[in-house]
Amino acid sequence: MEPKVLTADELRELPRLTIVFIECFDGEYQAPMPTIMAGMKCYDGTIVDEDGSTFSDFEDDMKPGRMFDGSYFRFWNMMPTEEQRKAVPWK
């Protein structure tokens, strides 16, 4: 199985306690942030990352400009390599 970016529907269908990998596009610098965080699907359907940030409206979380500085996120099913991260365009 290869790492892939998950859709909002795929995120909703994940079972509880599934680990995903969260990548942020930094709107201020107009580039992906260098690090990826792990997140876990919780019983209530949200995903909580290592810093305690919560994601629940997946379509909105993945929408460019979601945050005040234009940042937004994408979620991977497995930890991608740098090459895989670069090969998949941000939408």
Side-chain angles (χ1 to χ4, degrees):
M1 179 188 279
E2 289 286 316
K4 73 173 225 140
V5 174
L6 299 168
T7 66
D9 287 336
E10 289 170 326
L11 288 168
R12 278 191 284 278
E13 292 173 8
L14 291 174
R16 182 174 157 245
L17 303 178
T18 298
I19 302 297
V20 296
F21 297 89
I22 305 164
E23 186 177 19
C24 179
F25 187 88
D26 189 320
E28 183 178 346
Y29 294 103
Q30 291 296 297
M33 293 183 74
T35 58
I36 292 181
M37 292 202 138
M40 184 178 70
K41 179 84 176 269
C42 297
Y43 73 93
D44 64 357
T46 63
I47 292 175
V48 178
D49 74 14
E50 297 174 67
D51 281 344
S53 297
T54 303
F55 302 90
S56 59
D57 184 347
F58 304 126
E59 283 92 357
D60 192 48
D61 295 328
M62 292 187 267
K63 188 183 330 172
R66 180 242 191 265
M67 298 177 69
F68 67 92
D69 65 354
S71 297
Y72 61 107
F73 304 91
R74 64 184 182 180
F75 302 82
W76 294 80
N77 66 332
M78 300 171 68
M79 178 67 107
T81 65
E82 285 301 312
E83 294 78 25
Q84 290 165 326
R85 288 177 70 186
K86 290 176 184 175
V88 177
W90 284 80
K91 295 181 182 178

